[in-house]
Amino acid sequence: MRGIRQAIDFIYSKIEAIEPKSDIYNGFVASHKGKGGSLPLEQRQTSRLFDIQFVNYGKDDGEAGVTGRKRADINIRVLYQASADKQLLDIQISEDASLIIDALQYPSYDYLNTGILSLNCQLQDSAVSSILDNNGKEQAYLLNLNLYILYREEV
């Protein structure tokens, strides 16, 4: 069986397997895996907690006709708690973004089990946003990586 569920599970496992370069004691931990509810990522109190959000659901990739290939757009969001040393945190976020992109590079898509044909991961200009507390103080940062998945949905 191949499809979007297997592709998303594959992405979760690839990110969870990453060993951070800095602060090696706090690895990547998935917050939501599509298996039941829990607190929103923004309300958590730990670093390198991540989730995946759909931006666009699977649609056919064909311009001139139905191809059977599907394309979905997702965001990988990684939470970082605010630190007194903002420069160190910026370095960690930069390292982590690079590690995530490297972990998701071709050819390790495991097409036979996931259906993934290709992944395209991009950082936008505003890839890091602040999460403010009720007093307007920065309490955390959120790294957003846009990922475009080309896959096949098969039974």
Side-chain angles (χ1 to χ4, degrees):
M1 192 162 15
R2 303 172 211 167
I4 194 63
R5 177 173 299 279
Q6 290 78 13
I8 296 299
D9 287 347
F10 173 80
I11 292 167
Y12 273 120
S13 66
K14 292 296 269 185
I15 295 172
E16 287 181 317
I18 294 172
E19 290 191 28
K21 289 174 73 175
S22 301
D23 188 20
I24 59 172
Y25 301 106
N26 292 306
F28 293 91
V29 177
S31 170
H32 299 90
K33 286 190 169 184
K35 298 184 180 16
S38 60
L39 282 175
L41 187 66
E42 295 84 355
Q43 294 178 9
R44 299 297 185 121
Q45 297 293 322
T46 187
S47 286
R48 289 197 179 100
L49 194 64
F50 74 97
D51 69 6
I52 292 176
Q53 289 186 328
F54 280 85
V55 176
N56 292 313
Y57 295 104
K59 58 186 175 220
D60 195 80
D61 187 48
E63 301 251 343
V66 178
T67 65
R69 292 185 316 248
K70 304 289 189 279
R71 181 173 301 277
D73 304 338
I74 64 170
N75 277 341
I76 299 169
R77 304 178 328 139
V78 184
L79 181 70
Y80 296 88
Q81 291 303 309
S83 168
D85 189 345
K86 179 72 168 76
Q87 185 175 17
L88 175 62
L89 186 60
D90 287 341
I91 290 169
Q92 287 176 347
I93 292 172
S94 180
E95 288 174 346
D96 289 353
S98 182
L99 288 170
I100 291 170
I101 291 168
D102 289 348
L104 298 175
Q105 70 184 1
Y106 184 79
S108 62
Y109 300 151
D110 191 16
Y111 172 75
L112 293 177
N113 293 310
T114 66
I116 296 173
L117 297 166
S118 69
L119 297 174
N120 182 3
C121 193
Q122 298 179 348
L123 278 171
Q124 303 298 326
D125 290 339
S126 57
V128 178
S129 58
S130 297
I131 298 174
L132 306 176
D133 64 13
N134 292 337
N135 299 321
K137 182 181 177 203
E138 290 178 332
Q139 68 178 16
Y141 299 93
L142 204 55
L143 169 65
N144 289 289
L145 290 99
N146 302 99
L147 188 64
Y148 307 97
I149 309 170
L150 184 63
Y151 66 98
R152 286 196 179 274
E153 193 76 48
E154 299 173 356
V155 179

